[in-house]
Amino acid sequence: MAGGEVVIETLDSEVLKGNPLGDPTRRDVAIYLPPRYDSRKRYPAAYGIVGYTGTGKSLFGFDPLGEDLKSRLDRLIRTGKMGPLIVPMVDCFTKVGGNQYINSSATGRYDDYLRKEILPFVESKYRVSRRGIWGKSSGGYGSIVQGMLHPDTWSALADHSGDALFELCYIMDFPRALAAFQDHGGPTGWLRWFWRQPNRRREEMAPVLNTIGMAAHYSPNPKSRELGADFDLPLWSHRAIYNEREGRIEMHLVSEAAQTVLYRTFAPVCYQRR
């Protein structure tokens, strides 16, 4: 059986016009069509939304040591483990590193873009019987949120390693982000510096970019001079402390003001690097 085909469609978005980050409004949608695609038939569509720092087309990239998305879909259909379907991969990348697939005054109306523009655009060109949404990491979390907010839109969802318990998984990024903000005059200064760098995938950049992105999506404030988001920088500082027992230097958050901190306790989970 011959493999499927990936076609690139381009949409000029009205919803994203005037977005606060000045991100492109003309975007590609990479769409997988199954082997022997018949335009007279209807197919289920599995809309893919990617993790932070990714774009839809990136999953179709050739990997000499792995299996790209097209090859995997071809294999699953060829071996009968999955029926033929259409897989549109959406581009929601932003200057803050990615997307959470919600509407935010600091990034743009990406929930509306996905549901009110991408869906009708794709389904005006390809015959769809029913639709689902899936993703990994931020895309997995976005799939869960889309399913909860819009059950009338999605018939199914799949969450692969979706982000969760933000108060635990992201707080470890804060000390590094605060240190970077101080070095560059704040979040806006750091982001400008970041986009001037030739290699923007250095490991130490990730927690800073992620902190900016989460603030932009979940703490938008149009009155803020820092990327239209709340960072509450005067309330926090960071400090390097040597942990003698563990023999390592640790970064700690330090409150600079009296604050009420709400927390919950969970069973400890330990991870060991091998």
PDB file of all heavy atoms in Angstrom, residues 42-66:
ATOM      1  N   ARG A  42     -16.228  10.750   3.536  1.00  0.00           N
ATOM      2  CA  ARG A  42     -15.966  11.481   4.779  1.00  0.00           C
ATOM      3  C   ARG A  42     -15.003  10.659   5.652  1.00  0.00           C
ATOM      4  O   ARG A  42     -15.099   9.439   5.705  1.00  0.00           O
ATOM      5  CB  ARG A  42     -17.262  11.755   5.537  1.00  0.00           C
ATOM      6  CG  ARG A  42     -18.168  12.758   4.846  1.00  0.00           C
ATOM      7  CD  ARG A  42     -19.329  13.170   5.727  1.00  0.00           C
ATOM      8  NE  ARG A  42     -20.167  14.145   5.063  1.00  0.00           N
ATOM      9  CZ  ARG A  42     -19.935  15.461   5.096  1.00  0.00           C
ATOM     10  NH1 ARG A  42     -18.903  15.935   5.765  1.00  0.00           N
ATOM     11  NH2 ARG A  42     -20.744  16.295   4.460  1.00  0.00           N
ATOM     12  N   TYR A  43     -14.102  11.370   6.343  1.00  0.00           N
ATOM     13  CA  TYR A  43     -13.118  10.723   7.213  1.00  0.00           C
ATOM     14  C   TYR A  43     -13.143  11.384   8.589  1.00  0.00           C
ATOM     15  O   TYR A  43     -13.382  12.594   8.694  1.00  0.00           O
ATOM     16  CB  TYR A  43     -11.712  10.883   6.635  1.00  0.00           C
ATOM     17  CG  TYR A  43     -11.483  10.188   5.318  1.00  0.00           C
ATOM     18  CD1 TYR A  43     -11.835  10.802   4.111  1.00  0.00           C
ATOM     19  CD2 TYR A  43     -10.902   8.927   5.264  1.00  0.00           C
ATOM     20  CE1 TYR A  43     -11.620  10.184   2.898  1.00  0.00           C
ATOM     21  CE2 TYR A  43     -10.675   8.286   4.053  1.00  0.00           C
ATOM     22  CZ  TYR A  43     -11.040   8.925   2.872  1.00  0.00           C
ATOM     23  OH  TYR A  43     -10.825   8.299   1.663  1.00  0.00           O
ATOM     24  N   PRO A  44     -12.860  10.623   9.646  1.00  0.00           N
ATOM     25  CA  PRO A  44     -12.644  11.275  10.945  1.00  0.00           C
ATOM     26  C   PRO A  44     -11.373  12.123  10.888  1.00  0.00           C
ATOM     27  O   PRO A  44     -10.433  11.788  10.160  1.00  0.00           O
ATOM     28  CB  PRO A  44     -12.493  10.099  11.917  1.00  0.00           C
ATOM     29  CG  PRO A  44     -12.117   8.939  11.070  1.00  0.00           C
ATOM     30  CD  PRO A  44     -12.736   9.160   9.722  1.00  0.00           C
ATOM     31  N   ALA A  45     -11.385  13.219  11.619  1.00  0.00           N
ATOM     32  CA  ALA A  45     -10.230  14.116  11.665  1.00  0.00           C
ATOM     33  C   ALA A  45      -9.699  14.171  13.093  1.00  0.00           C
ATOM     34  O   ALA A  45     -10.461  14.374  14.033  1.00  0.00           O
ATOM     35  CB  ALA A  45     -10.604  15.513  11.180  1.00  0.00           C
ATOM     36  N   ALA A  46      -8.391  13.973  13.224  1.00  0.00           N
ATOM     37  CA  ALA A  46      -7.720  14.065  14.528  1.00  0.00           C
ATOM     38  C   ALA A  46      -6.811  15.287  14.493  1.00  0.00           C
ATOM     39  O   ALA A  46      -5.689  15.230  13.975  1.00  0.00           O
ATOM     40  CB  ALA A  46      -6.927  12.794  14.820  1.00  0.00           C
ATOM     41  N   TYR A  47      -7.294  16.406  15.025  1.00  0.00           N
ATOM     42  CA  TYR A  47      -6.531  17.656  15.013  1.00  0.00           C
ATOM     43  C   TYR A  47      -5.401  17.581  16.035  1.00  0.00           C
ATOM     44  O   TYR A  47      -5.639  17.265  17.207  1.00  0.00           O
ATOM     45  CB  TYR A  47      -7.441  18.837  15.329  1.00  0.00           C
ATOM     46  CG  TYR A  47      -8.382  19.196  14.204  1.00  0.00           C
ATOM     47  CD1 TYR A  47      -9.550  18.471  13.995  1.00  0.00           C
ATOM     48  CD2 TYR A  47      -8.102  20.258  13.345  1.00  0.00           C
ATOM     49  CE1 TYR A  47     -10.422  18.796  12.947  1.00  0.00           C
ATOM     50  CE2 TYR A  47      -8.968  20.586  12.312  1.00  0.00           C
ATOM     51  CZ  TYR A  47     -10.120  19.846  12.110  1.00  0.00           C
ATOM     52  OH  TYR A  47     -10.974  20.172  11.090  1.00  0.00           O
ATOM     53  N   GLY A  48      -4.184  17.875  15.592  1.00  0.00           N
ATOM     54  CA  GLY A  48      -3.020  17.801  16.476  1.00  0.00           C
ATOM     55  C   GLY A  48      -2.546  19.173  16.909  1.00  0.00           C
ATOM     56  O   GLY A  48      -2.409  20.094  16.084  1.00  0.00           O
ATOM     57  N   ILE A  49      -2.330  19.348  18.223  1.00  0.00           N
ATOM     58  CA  ILE A  49      -1.739  20.577  18.759  1.00  0.00           C
ATOM     59  C   ILE A  49      -0.481  20.180  19.533  1.00  0.00           C
ATOM     60  O   ILE A  49      -0.491  19.219  20.296  1.00  0.00           O
ATOM     61  CB  ILE A  49      -2.728  21.373  19.640  1.00  0.00           C
ATOM     62  CG1 ILE A  49      -3.339  20.514  20.741  1.00  0.00           C
ATOM     63  CG2 ILE A  49      -3.828  21.962  18.767  1.00  0.00           C
ATOM     64  CD1 ILE A  49      -4.288  21.263  21.661  1.00  0.00           C
ATOM     65  N   VAL A  50       0.589  20.887  19.322  1.00  0.00           N
ATOM     66  CA  VAL A  50       1.904  20.421  19.765  1.00  0.00           C
ATOM     67  C   VAL A  50       2.297  21.004  21.119  1.00  0.00           C
ATOM     68  O   VAL A  50       1.636  21.901  21.659  1.00  0.00           O
ATOM     69  CB  VAL A  50       2.982  20.775  18.724  1.00  0.00           C
ATOM     70  CG1 VAL A  50       2.700  20.069  17.414  1.00  0.00           C
ATOM     71  CG2 VAL A  50       3.054  22.285  18.506  1.00  0.00           C
ATOM     72  N   GLY A  51       3.400  20.477  21.656  1.00  0.00           N
ATOM     73  CA  GLY A  51       3.934  20.957  22.922  1.00  0.00           C
ATOM     74  C   GLY A  51       4.639  22.294  22.779  1.00  0.00           C
ATOM     75  O   GLY A  51       4.841  22.803  21.671  1.00  0.00           O
ATOM     76  N   TYR A  52       5.033  22.843  23.927  1.00  0.00           N
ATOM     77  CA  TYR A  52       5.661  24.165  23.938  1.00  0.00           C
ATOM     78  C   TYR A  52       6.928  24.152  23.098  1.00  0.00           C
ATOM     79  O   TYR A  52       7.692  23.199  23.111  1.00  0.00           O
ATOM     80  CB  TYR A  52       5.975  24.592  25.375  1.00  0.00           C
ATOM     81  CG  TYR A  52       5.657  26.046  25.600  1.00  0.00           C
ATOM     82  CD1 TYR A  52       4.344  26.488  25.561  1.00  0.00           C
ATOM     83  CD2 TYR A  52       6.656  26.991  25.801  1.00  0.00           C
ATOM     84  CE1 TYR A  52       4.034  27.828  25.730  1.00  0.00           C
ATOM     85  CE2 TYR A  52       6.361  28.322  25.978  1.00  0.00           C
ATOM     86  CZ  TYR A  52       5.047  28.734  25.931  1.00  0.00           C
ATOM     87  OH  TYR A  52       4.747  30.066  26.093  1.00  0.00           O
ATOM     88  N   THR A  53       7.166  25.213  22.376  1.00  0.00           N
ATOM     89  CA  THR A  53       8.268  25.484  21.437  1.00  0.00           C
ATOM     90  C   THR A  53       8.106  24.747  20.115  1.00  0.00           C
ATOM     91  O   THR A  53       8.976  24.849  19.252  1.00  0.00           O
ATOM     92  CB  THR A  53       9.674  25.180  22.021  1.00  0.00           C
ATOM     93  OG1 THR A  53       9.887  23.764  22.073  1.00  0.00           O
ATOM     94  CG2 THR A  53       9.856  25.803  23.394  1.00  0.00           C
ATOM     95  N   GLY A  54       6.999  24.027  19.905  1.00  0.00           N
ATOM     96  CA  GLY A  54       6.813  23.298  18.656  1.00  0.00           C
ATOM     97  C   GLY A  54       5.816  23.962  17.726  1.00  0.00           C
ATOM     98  O   GLY A  54       5.108  24.902  18.095  1.00  0.00           O
ATOM     99  N   THR A  55       5.774  23.474  16.497  1.00  0.00           N
ATOM    100  CA  THR A  55       4.768  23.879  15.522  1.00  0.00           C
ATOM    101  C   THR A  55       4.195  22.620  14.886  1.00  0.00           C
ATOM    102  O   THR A  55       4.784  21.539  14.963  1.00  0.00           O
ATOM    103  CB  THR A  55       5.358  24.767  14.406  1.00  0.00           C
ATOM    104  OG1 THR A  55       6.285  23.988  13.637  1.00  0.00           O
ATOM    105  CG2 THR A  55       6.063  25.980  14.979  1.00  0.00           C
ATOM    106  N   GLY A  56       3.054  22.763  14.230  1.00  0.00           N
ATOM    107  CA  GLY A  56       2.414  21.599  13.636  1.00  0.00           C
ATOM    108  C   GLY A  56       3.291  20.887  12.626  1.00  0.00           C
ATOM    109  O   GLY A  56       3.408  19.659  12.611  1.00  0.00           O
ATOM    110  N   LYS A  57       3.950  21.654  11.760  1.00  0.00           N
ATOM    111  CA  LYS A  57       4.762  21.043  10.708  1.00  0.00           C
ATOM    112  C   LYS A  57       5.980  20.318  11.264  1.00  0.00           C
ATOM    113  O   LYS A  57       6.517  19.421  10.597  1.00  0.00           O
ATOM    114  CB  LYS A  57       5.204  22.110   9.699  1.00  0.00           C
ATOM    115  CG  LYS A  57       4.077  22.632   8.828  1.00  0.00           C
ATOM    116  CD  LYS A  57       4.594  23.482   7.676  1.00  0.00           C
ATOM    117  CE  LYS A  57       5.237  24.762   8.139  1.00  0.00           C
ATOM    118  NZ  LYS A  57       5.588  25.649   6.997  1.00  0.00           N
ATOM    119  N   SER A  58       6.425  20.689  12.458  1.00  0.00           N
ATOM    120  CA  SER A  58       7.652  20.083  12.992  1.00  0.00           C
ATOM    121  C   SER A  58       7.517  18.583  13.197  1.00  0.00           C
ATOM    122  O   SER A  58       8.500  17.847  13.097  1.00  0.00           O
ATOM    123  CB  SER A  58       8.058  20.765  14.305  1.00  0.00           C
ATOM    124  OG  SER A  58       7.069  20.582  15.299  1.00  0.00           O
ATOM    125  N   LEU A  59       6.314  18.085  13.474  1.00  0.00           N
ATOM    126  CA  LEU A  59       6.135  16.648  13.700  1.00  0.00           C
ATOM    127  C   LEU A  59       6.236  15.843  12.408  1.00  0.00           C
ATOM    128  O   LEU A  59       6.403  14.624  12.455  1.00  0.00           O
ATOM    129  CB  LEU A  59       4.790  16.381  14.374  1.00  0.00           C
ATOM    130  CG  LEU A  59       4.650  16.853  15.820  1.00  0.00           C
ATOM    131  CD1 LEU A  59       3.326  16.374  16.401  1.00  0.00           C
ATOM    132  CD2 LEU A  59       5.792  16.356  16.677  1.00  0.00           C
ATOM    133  N   PHE A  60       6.149  16.505  11.273  1.00  0.00           N
ATOM    134  CA  PHE A  60       6.298  15.806  10.002  1.00  0.00           C
ATOM    135  C   PHE A  60       7.749  15.828   9.511  1.00  0.00           C
ATOM    136  O   PHE A  60       8.038  15.336   8.422  1.00  0.00           O
ATOM    137  CB  PHE A  60       5.388  16.423   8.937  1.00  0.00           C
ATOM    138  CG  PHE A  60       3.931  16.126   9.140  1.00  0.00           C
ATOM    139  CD1 PHE A  60       3.033  17.147   9.409  1.00  0.00           C
ATOM    140  CD2 PHE A  60       3.452  14.826   9.086  1.00  0.00           C
ATOM    141  CE1 PHE A  60       1.679  16.875   9.588  1.00  0.00           C
ATOM    142  CE2 PHE A  60       2.108  14.543   9.265  1.00  0.00           C
ATOM    143  CZ  PHE A  60       1.222  15.569   9.529  1.00  0.00           C
ATOM    144  N   GLY A  61       8.648  16.403  10.310  1.00  0.00           N
ATOM    145  CA  GLY A  61      10.046  16.484   9.918  1.00  0.00           C
ATOM    146  C   GLY A  61      10.700  15.111   9.844  1.00  0.00           C
ATOM    147  O   GLY A  61      10.423  14.221  10.646  1.00  0.00           O
ATOM    148  N   PHE A  62      11.591  14.931   8.883  1.00  0.00           N
ATOM    149  CA  PHE A  62      12.280  13.656   8.697  1.00  0.00           C
ATOM    150  C   PHE A  62      13.262  13.417   9.832  1.00  0.00           C
ATOM    151  O   PHE A  62      14.016  14.306  10.224  1.00  0.00           O
ATOM    152  CB  PHE A  62      13.022  13.657   7.356  1.00  0.00           C
ATOM    153  CG  PHE A  62      13.879  12.433   7.149  1.00  0.00           C
ATOM    154  CD1 PHE A  62      13.294  11.198   6.914  1.00  0.00           C
ATOM    155  CD2 PHE A  62      15.261  12.523   7.220  1.00  0.00           C
ATOM    156  CE1 PHE A  62      14.082  10.065   6.731  1.00  0.00           C
ATOM    157  CE2 PHE A  62      16.048  11.409   7.035  1.00  0.00           C
ATOM    158  CZ  PHE A  62      15.455  10.174   6.793  1.00  0.00           C
ATOM    159  N   ASP A  63      13.251  12.219  10.392  1.00  0.00           N
ATOM    160  CA  ASP A  63      14.167  11.828  11.453  1.00  0.00           C
ATOM    161  C   ASP A  63      14.834  10.520  11.044  1.00  0.00           C
ATOM    162  O   ASP A  63      14.192   9.467  11.021  1.00  0.00           O
ATOM    163  CB  ASP A  63      13.406  11.648  12.774  1.00  0.00           C
ATOM    164  CG  ASP A  63      14.328  11.250  13.924  1.00  0.00           C
ATOM    165  OD1 ASP A  63      15.542  11.080  13.689  1.00  0.00           O
ATOM    166  OD2 ASP A  63      13.835  11.110  15.056  1.00  0.00           O
ATOM    167  N   PRO A  64      16.140  10.546  10.712  1.00  0.00           N
ATOM    168  CA  PRO A  64      16.801   9.327  10.241  1.00  0.00           C
ATOM    169  C   PRO A  64      16.904   8.245  11.307  1.00  0.00           C
ATOM    170  O   PRO A  64      17.121   7.073  10.983  1.00  0.00           O
ATOM    171  CB  PRO A  64      18.192   9.818   9.814  1.00  0.00           C
ATOM    172  CG  PRO A  64      18.402  11.076  10.589  1.00  0.00           C
ATOM    173  CD  PRO A  64      17.056  11.697  10.732  1.00  0.00           C
ATOM    174  N   LEU A  65      16.745   8.623  12.577  1.00  0.00           N
ATOM    175  CA  LEU A  65      16.856   7.639  13.660  1.00  0.00           C
ATOM    176  C   LEU A  65      15.514   7.327  14.309  1.00  0.00           C
ATOM    177  O   LEU A  65      15.461   6.553  15.268  1.00  0.00           O
ATOM    178  CB  LEU A  65      17.832   8.150  14.732  1.00  0.00           C
ATOM    179  CG  LEU A  65      19.255   8.433  14.266  1.00  0.00           C
ATOM    180  CD1 LEU A  65      20.108   8.923  15.430  1.00  0.00           C
ATOM    181  CD2 LEU A  65      19.881   7.191  13.635  1.00  0.00           C
ATOM    182  N   GLY A  66      14.453   7.912  13.823  1.00  0.00           N
ATOM    183  CA  GLY A  66      13.148   7.714  14.449  1.00  0.00           C
ATOM    184  C   GLY A  66      12.052   7.590  13.411  1.00  0.00           C
ATOM    185  O   GLY A  66      12.303   7.372  12.216  1.00  0.00           O
TER     186      GLY A  66
END
